[in-house]
Amino acid sequence: MKENNGLKILFVSAEVSPFAKTGGLADVAGSLPGTLALMGNDIRVVMPRYKTIKSDMMYLTDFAVLIGNRKETCIVKETEVCLKTGVKYARFPVYFIDNYNYFDREGIYCYSDDAERFGFFCSAVLDMLPAVNFQPDIIHCNDWHTGPICMLLCERYREQPFYKNIATVFTIHNLEYQGNFPRSTFDLFNLGEDIFTPEKVEFYGMFSFMKAGLVYSDIINTVSKRYAKEIQTVQYGEKLDGLLRKRSADLFGIVNGISYEEFNPSTDRRIYKNYSLETYWDKKGNKTCLQKEMNLPVRDVPIISLISRLTGQKGLDIILDKMDALLAHDVQFVLLGTGDEYFENAFKNLRIKYPDKFSAYIGFNTTLAQRIYAGSDMFLMPSRFEPCGLGQIISLRYGTIPIVRATGGLADTIIDYDEDNEKGNGFVFDEYSSIEMLQAVERAIKLYNEKPEVWQQLVKRALSLDFSWDKPAKEYTELYYLAIEKRR
Ligand code: ADP
């Protein structure tokens, strides 16, 4: 192992942008490794090869992976990512774990055999290392899909000298999704019965992928400092708060960054008109084009937007509760999202009820997402809980002012304008209540309408903030060294 940013890191994730994305995990996995590579680390990324990934990739090797009492073939493919920022240049490989039975499907998750698919992925990742001749100092696992890697490493692979000193960091991007499966799933890993206990990987009679990561990793972190505290409480702990409190000395919070290359209003080709802090007034051109694209009248009224997975987590019930009151104001609302049928239908109905004020695109569309970030004035994110949240950070990068509930990463990144008009960068409310949410939106609308010059200052402040990976990547490096120290 080399000191000073010369670490060998394997970064494991079920989704990595731009290859496969359903949410923020893909954004993180698609951008943090690049910054770590630019810092001089030897980083490699590994993910499943889903059918939908069309990128060019090269065959590297293949081998058999033991899964239960069967052997399944794993084919490893590779592509190379090249990065250049200023004078810095880096390249690193992305490995794809391929198996026709498990991954040659249209979707990423939500199949009845997900336990077997990701169980195979975890074993294959560890088996891959000697085959590609890479002996990392750190395996950085992300979310439940990768939890068993930490378990397998401790309970089986470390017996072999090759794996002995590899340390693990396990990042929780969302504790709600735990990968809890029937007990029989545990048999896929061919480990002793003594591990299937409540102290280890049993979770109310189920085998928990997430718990396997939390119990066996050297260091745990989550994606904001506030969420790291919240998940140690009964309210946010998703029944794992006891275990997280037990491991609190090893539990950290690092607020996510975003790629300042991918999300850059002055170069982003997906938006209608580029702009920057120096030419912030060109943001207006994006607003007009967005109104046309979303079939809304072209008028100078505040546009409130929402881009989200449509699930209970995201505070959609309190939005729906007050949508009539909100749309009684002279505003427009633009929504992009996909998810629970109940919410999809509710928003489709609003589109019919308020054709001049409410526009919704039900689906996943990364180009439209950027156009909305660029073209709207306010971004609403009233989440019930939010590990970090990237929507509010991307909004700021595009000079769009977030309105958020003070939870998790939203609390760590957004400062209420009324309470601190020197540093305020958004509008914040505390209680999970539709009334408080509406009041925060109304404060934003009032400022927009009554003090346009102050609003412009807010937009300029948002455009000048730094939420790049530079600082968080250094914090991750510190965690990696801590994990290595612990392992020694
Ligand atoms: P989560 O990870 O819980 O889904 P985040 O706010 O951390 O939420 O990240 C969401 C990411 O997914 C952002 O990059 C957002 O722009 C993107 N996103 C969410 N829904 C859609 C959609 N329907 N179309 C395009 N991008 C979306």
Side-chain angles (χ1 to χ4, degrees):
M1 184 189 75
K2 286 181 277 163
E3 296 293 330
N4 297 333
N5 299 335
L7 289 172
K8 288 191 279 172
I9 307 155
L10 182 74
F11 193 97
V12 195
S13 177
E15 47 181 286
V16 180
S17 178
F19 306 107
K21 169 166 168 174
T22 68
L25 170 61
D27 287 322
V28 173
S31 53
L32 170 60
T35 308
L36 290 165
L38 288 166
M39 286 163 69
N41 296 292
D42 179 359
I43 188 154
R44 320 227 175 153
V45 177
V46 58
M47 67 177 294
R49 208 285 301 175
Y50 306 107
K51 186 178 183 174
T52 43
I53 303 175
K54 300 290 178 223
S55 318
D56 286 341
M57 52 183 89
M58 188 180 87
Y59 166 89
L60 214 55
T61 182
D62 67 89
F63 46 83
V65 174
L66 189 64
I67 182 101
N69 53 13
R70 285 179 301 116
K71 285 194 169 169
E72 279 283 345
T73 302
C74 169
I75 302 170
V76 182
K77 296 173 179 168
E78 180 191 3
T79 192
E80 194 174 52
V81 174
C82 299
L83 288 173
K84 195 173 175 322
T85 53
V87 289
K88 285 192 187 162
Y89 176 78
R91 45 172 64 195
F92 62 91
V94 177
Y95 299 125
F96 296 94
I97 299 290
D98 200 0
N99 172 288
Y100 184 83
N101 290 335
Y102 294 134
F103 300 123
D104 205 53
R105 308 178 189 186
E106 292 302 329
I108 299 182
Y109 314 120
C110 299
Y111 292 101
S112 58
D113 59 348
D114 272 0
E116 192 171 327
R117 296 169 73 227
F118 289 103
F120 166 82
F121 175 64
C122 290
S123 296
V125 164
L126 288 169
D127 290 343
M128 173 193 85
L129 292 172
V132 300
N133 194 21
F134 183 58
Q135 191 176 28
D137 303 307
I138 286 284
I139 300 182
H140 184 163
C141 295
N142 293 279
D143 270 355
W144 70 262
H145 331 93
T146 61
I149 291 176
C150 306
M151 171 185 77
L152 287 165
L153 199 57
C154 286
E155 296 289 356
R156 173 157 355 109
Y157 286 72
R158 280 223 182 86
E159 289 166 5
Q160 303 170 45
F162 181 90
Y163 296 94
K164 193 163 176 283
N165 294 321
I166 300 177
T168 50
V169 169
F170 183 81
T171 302
I172 305 165
H173 294 263
N174 193 333
L175 194 63
E176 187 183 24
Y177 302 102
Q178 300 182 347
N180 300 327
F181 298 102
R183 195 228 164 284
S184 55
T185 314
F186 178 66
D187 298 336
L188 296 170
F189 299 101
N190 300 298
L191 294 172
E193 284 299 309
D194 55 319
I195 296 161
F196 195 78
T197 62
E199 289 69 43
K200 294 190 171 168
V201 299
E202 183 194 339
F203 187 69
Y204 299 94
M206 311 277 270
F207 170 68
S208 171
F209 275 54
M210 174 69 84
K211 196 171 171 190
L214 298 180
V215 168
Y216 283 103
S217 52
D218 294 306
I219 292 289
I220 304 168
N221 86 298
T222 184
V223 287
S224 67
K225 298 195 194 322
R226 173 76 77 104
Y227 193 59
K229 284 198 192 121
E230 286 173 346
I231 55 178
Q232 296 180 57
T233 66
V234 175
Q235 189 188 352
Y236 292 94
E238 306 282 352
K239 296 205 172 83
L240 285 166
D241 47 293
L243 168 60
L244 290 162
R245 282 195 299 275
K246 212 165 101 190
R247 292 219 58 191
S248 64
D250 300 323
L251 171 59
F252 298 84
I254 299 178
V255 174
N256 284 333
I258 55 168
S259 162
Y260 264 40
E261 281 69 50
E262 182 188 352
F263 299 116
N264 183 350
S266 64
T267 54
D268 193 337
R269 290 196 187 166
R270 297 167 292 193
I271 67 176
Y272 311 99
K273 191 166 177 40
N274 291 118
Y275 59 97
S276 64
L277 177 61
E278 289 70 37
T279 58
Y280 70 92
W281 50 85
D282 282 336
K283 182 171 165 59
K284 263 240 146 70
N286 286 283
K287 181 168 175 172
T288 314
C289 293
L290 180 67
Q291 286 169 322
K292 285 182 190 153
E293 178 160 354
M294 298 302 285
N295 293 318
L296 290 168
V298 176
R299 300 184 52 226
D300 186 14
V301 293
I303 298 187
I304 305 166
S305 62
L306 185 143
I307 301 171
S308 181
R309 289 183 295 114
L310 302 181
T311 69
Q313 174 197 339
K314 299 294 181 178
L316 306 170
D317 53 340
I318 59 176
I319 296 181
L320 287 171
D321 190 43
K322 284 284 177 260
M323 196 55 106
D324 290 326
L326 204 161
L327 293 180
H329 293 276
D330 197 9
V331 296
Q332 294 175 346
F333 200 109
V334 173
L335 179 140
L336 166 63
T338 175
D340 296 355
E341 211 180 331
Y342 169 81
F343 291 121
E344 290 192 353
N345 287 336
F347 291 122
K348 281 181 194 162
N349 288 339
L350 279 168
R351 200 166 51 187
I352 296 165
K353 190 171 172 190
Y354 295 104
D356 286 348
K357 290 195 157 187
F358 184 88
S359 180
Y361 179 106
I362 303 299
F364 197 89
N365 184 330
T366 48
T367 300
L368 182 59
Q370 291 321 112
R371 292 178 173 183
I372 296 174
Y373 285 121
S376 46
D377 300 293
M378 303 161 193
F379 188 81
L380 184 56
M381 217 164 156
S383 305
R384 191 183 287 276
F385 70 92
E386 195 58 71
C388 177
L390 294 178
Q392 83 282 14
I393 298 177
I394 304 171
S395 295
L396 288 172
R397 176 78 167 135
Y398 286 78
T400 298
I401 307 304
I403 305 168
V404 307
R405 174 166 173 254
T407 183
L410 298 172
D412 282 2
T413 53
I414 306 303
I415 301 166
D416 187 62
Y417 173 77
D418 276 3
E419 275 177 26
D420 186 346
N421 51 32
E422 294 293 308
K423 289 203 182 120
N425 59 7
F427 294 86
V428 182
F429 63 98
D430 287 311
E431 283 301 308
Y432 188 75
S433 105
S434 57
I435 296 171
E436 279 210 16
M437 183 211 68
L438 182 63
Q439 285 167 347
V441 177
E442 285 173 340
R443 281 196 286 131
I445 297 172
K446 193 165 186 286
L447 188 73
Y448 180 97
N449 286 334
E450 294 177 8
K451 295 188 178 163
E453 65 299 336
V454 179
W455 188 269
Q456 268 174 21
Q457 290 304 323
L458 212 50
V459 171
K460 281 161 71 180
R461 183 177 299 160
L463 286 169
S464 59
L465 294 171
D466 181 3
F467 279 100
S468 69
W469 275 110
D470 293 348
K471 185 169 163 279
K474 286 194 186 107
E475 293 180 69
Y476 270 105
T477 311
E478 282 167 26
L479 278 200
Y480 295 154
Y481 280 111
L482 203 62
I484 291 165
E485 212 171 280
K486 265 201 81 194
R487 177 77 358 235
R488 276 179 187 160

